[in-house]
Amino acid sequence: MMNRDELRTALIEEITRVAPDLSADEITDDASLRDDYDLDSMDSFNLASAIHKRLGVNIPETDFARLQSLAQLVAYLEKHPA
Protein backbone atom coordinates (compact mmCIF):
# COMPACT_ATOMS: atom_id res chain seq x y z
CA MET A 1 0.00 0.00 0.00
CA MET A 2 1.25 3.48 -0.86
CA ASN A 3 1.81 6.11 1.81
CA ARG A 4 0.35 9.61 1.59
CA ASP A 5 3.37 11.10 -0.21
CA GLU A 6 3.46 8.28 -2.77
CA LEU A 7 -0.28 8.67 -3.42
CA ARG A 8 0.11 12.42 -3.80
CA THR A 9 3.00 12.00 -6.26
CA ALA A 10 1.11 9.39 -8.30
CA LEU A 11 -1.98 11.61 -8.45
CA ILE A 12 0.00 14.66 -9.53
CA GLU A 13 1.59 12.59 -12.31
CA GLU A 14 -1.84 11.46 -13.51
CA ILE A 15 -3.33 14.97 -13.28
CA THR A 16 -0.51 16.35 -15.43
CA ARG A 17 -1.05 13.55 -17.97
CA VAL A 18 -4.76 14.39 -18.19
CA ALA A 19 -4.05 18.14 -18.26
CA PRO A 20 -0.63 18.49 -19.92
CA ASP A 21 -0.79 22.29 -19.75
CA LEU A 22 -0.34 21.99 -15.96
CA SER A 23 3.05 21.48 -14.39
CA ALA A 24 3.46 19.36 -11.28
CA ASP A 25 4.71 22.30 -9.18
CA GLU A 26 1.53 24.28 -9.97
CA ILE A 27 -0.71 21.70 -8.29
CA THR A 28 -1.48 22.40 -4.66
CA ASP A 29 -3.35 20.24 -2.18
CA ASP A 30 -6.39 22.42 -1.68
CA ALA A 31 -6.95 24.02 -5.09
CA SER A 32 -10.10 22.98 -6.93
CA LEU A 33 -9.33 20.63 -9.79
CA ARG A 34 -12.32 21.97 -11.72
CA ASP A 35 -12.26 25.67 -10.86
CA ASP A 36 -8.53 26.37 -10.47
CA TYR A 37 -7.17 23.93 -13.05
CA ASP A 38 -10.11 23.89 -15.51
CA LEU A 39 -10.54 20.11 -15.51
CA ASP A 40 -13.80 19.48 -17.31
CA SER A 41 -16.02 16.41 -17.06
CA MET A 42 -14.00 14.52 -19.69
CA ASP A 43 -10.76 15.32 -17.86
CA SER A 44 -12.35 14.08 -14.64
CA PHE A 45 -13.43 10.85 -16.33
CA ASN A 46 -9.93 10.38 -17.74
CA LEU A 47 -8.41 11.04 -14.32
CA ALA A 48 -10.70 8.50 -12.64
CA SER A 49 -9.74 5.96 -15.33
CA ALA A 50 -6.05 6.71 -14.87
CA ILE A 51 -6.34 6.27 -11.10
CA HIS A 52 -8.06 2.93 -11.65
CA LYS A 53 -5.36 1.74 -14.07
CA ARG A 54 -2.44 2.90 -11.96
CA LEU A 55 -3.68 2.21 -8.44
CA GLY A 56 -6.35 -0.43 -9.00
CA VAL A 57 -8.97 1.68 -7.24
CA ASN A 58 -12.35 2.17 -8.86
CA ILE A 59 -13.86 5.44 -7.66
CA PRO A 60 -17.63 5.48 -8.24
CA GLU A 61 -18.83 8.49 -10.23
CA THR A 62 -20.92 9.71 -7.30
CA ASP A 63 -17.82 9.74 -5.06
CA PHE A 64 -15.54 11.21 -7.71
CA ALA A 65 -17.91 14.13 -8.27
CA ARG A 66 -17.47 15.14 -4.61
CA LEU A 67 -13.66 14.99 -4.71
CA GLN A 68 -12.69 18.55 -5.54
CA SER A 69 -8.98 18.72 -4.67
CA LEU A 70 -5.76 16.75 -4.56
CA ALA A 71 -6.01 16.54 -0.75
CA GLN A 72 -9.52 15.07 -0.99
CA LEU A 73 -8.37 12.51 -3.56
CA VAL A 74 -5.45 11.46 -1.36
CA ALA A 75 -7.70 11.13 1.70
CA TYR A 76 -10.23 9.08 -0.29
CA LEU A 77 -7.53 6.72 -1.60
CA GLU A 78 -6.11 6.27 1.89
CA LYS A 79 -9.54 5.09 3.05
CA HIS A 80 -10.21 2.97 -0.08
CA PRO A 81 -6.97 1.19 -0.95
CA ALA A 82 -6.81 -1.30 -3.82
Side-chain angles (χ1 to χ4, degrees), residues 8-48:
R8 186 178 183 282
T9 298
L11 288 169
I12 289 173
E13 288 172 2
E14 296 307 326
I15 291 167
T16 57
R17 283 192 184 112
V18 168
D21 52 319
L22 288 175
S23 66
D25 54 335
E26 284 180 87
I27 300 171
T28 61
D29 288 334
D30 297 319
S32 168
L33 297 173
R34 289 173 191 82
D35 298 335
D36 295 322
Y37 302 132
D38 295 326
L39 266 64
D40 62 21
S41 57
M42 193 63 191
D43 293 330
S44 294
F45 173 80
N46 290 335
L47 181 57

Side-chain angles (χ1 to χ4, degrees), residues 54-69:
R54 182 161 183 173
L55 304 175
V57 177
N58 185 34
I59 303 174
E61 190 175 333
T62 53
D63 287 351
F64 199 82
R66 291 188 317 228
L67 302 173
Q68 300 290 317
S69 68

